[in-house]
Amino acid sequence: GFFAVRLEDAQAAVAKLPWVERAEVRKRWPDVVEVRIVEHRPFARWGKDRLLSEHGQLFPAAGTTLPKNLPQLDGPDSRVSEVVALYNESRVLFMPGGIDVRGLSLDRRGSWSLQLSDGTQVMVGNSEARLRLTRFARMLPQLLSQKQLPLARADLRYTNGFALSWTAAPPRPAAPQSQGNT
């Protein structure tokens, strides 16, 4: 009944739910138990099976319907703030060219990589990531205007430049062969 409800236990049980960021449970006389829930609001996908909230908290994504167009971020849990910071900075860098950053990851060795909205994979490396991304983002509009093919991959791990891989040209349709009788 109303008097048997232990508020701390009820609040802990609600707070354990994956999408709950914060829960408050109160009794209101004469016979009401109020439960207020603040849900995590997802900012990005994190790794394979988690989400990152707008407040920087990781929580499980299992059994939930996710909003479309969430970026895919990944890295060690202890470096969430660094990953989010570089993601936000990268978006600002590529925005003038009309390109969005769809994903960013930091591997165990400390090497950064990005996935751009046009499909380009960008290997940044583990040193001077911001400097390398700034240089590449500044050059990208010129590079894309000179080439008729989409950019597939950019490797920025070189000291004074970067290597680019373009997608293969679409095959030309074969000329129809005439099958005349001779």
Side-chain angles (χ1 to χ4, degrees):
F2 179 75
F3 295 106
V5 173
R6 295 187 56 203
L7 295 179
E8 299 83 20
D9 294 344
Q11 186 167 324
V14 173
K16 285 182 185 177
L17 297 172
W19 275 77
V20 174
E21 179 180 342
R22 189 175 65 247
E24 295 176 15
V25 179
R26 296 182 188 161
K27 289 182 182 179
R28 193 170 53 135
W29 185 257
D31 60 354
V32 176
V33 175
E34 288 182 350
V35 179
R36 288 190 181 179
I37 296 173
V38 176
E39 291 182 318
H40 287 294
R41 292 186 11 198
F43 170 74
R45 288 177 168 83
W46 186 270
K48 295 181 181 173
D49 58 356
R50 293 187 292 170
L51 296 170
L52 177 65
S53 77
E54 291 178 346
H55 298 288
Q57 296 175 330
L58 296 171
F59 62 100
T64 59
T65 303
L66 302 176
K68 293 185 179 194
N69 297 326
L70 285 179
Q72 177 67 51
L73 305 179
D74 197 8
D77 291 358
S78 62
R79 297 183 70 184
V80 168
S81 61
E82 290 175 65
V83 172
V84 171
L86 188 60
Y87 168 74
N88 288 330
E89 291 172 34
S90 300
R91 290 191 71 204
V92 170
L93 289 173
F94 289 100
M95 192 180 304
I99 297 173
D100 195 18
V101 178
R102 299 303 310 142
L104 182 134
S105 81
L106 175 63
D107 68 17
R108 290 181 185 144
R109 298 172 302 157
S111 186
W112 296 94
S113 60
L114 279 83
Q115 172 75 38
L116 301 180
S117 60
D118 65 357
T120 304
Q121 292 282 342
V122 181
M123 307 305 297
V124 182
N126 57 8
S127 64
E128 300 178 333
R130 286 163 178 78
L131 175 67
R132 293 170 193 240
L133 281 170
T134 301
R135 180 174 49 213
F136 177 66
R138 190 174 51 237
M139 294 293 299
L140 188 59
Q142 290 175 293
L143 297 168
L144 294 176
S145 69
Q146 294 175 1
K147 215 51 170 158
Q148 297 300 319
L149 302 172
L151 184 60
R153 188 168 192 263
D155 188 343
L156 313 184
R157 297 176 289 185
Y158 297 92
T159 306
N160 294 320
F162 39 82
L164 305 174
S165 298
W166 302 90
T167 59
R172 291 184 178 174
Q177 296 178 351
S178 61
Q179 295 181 351
N181 292 337
T182 50

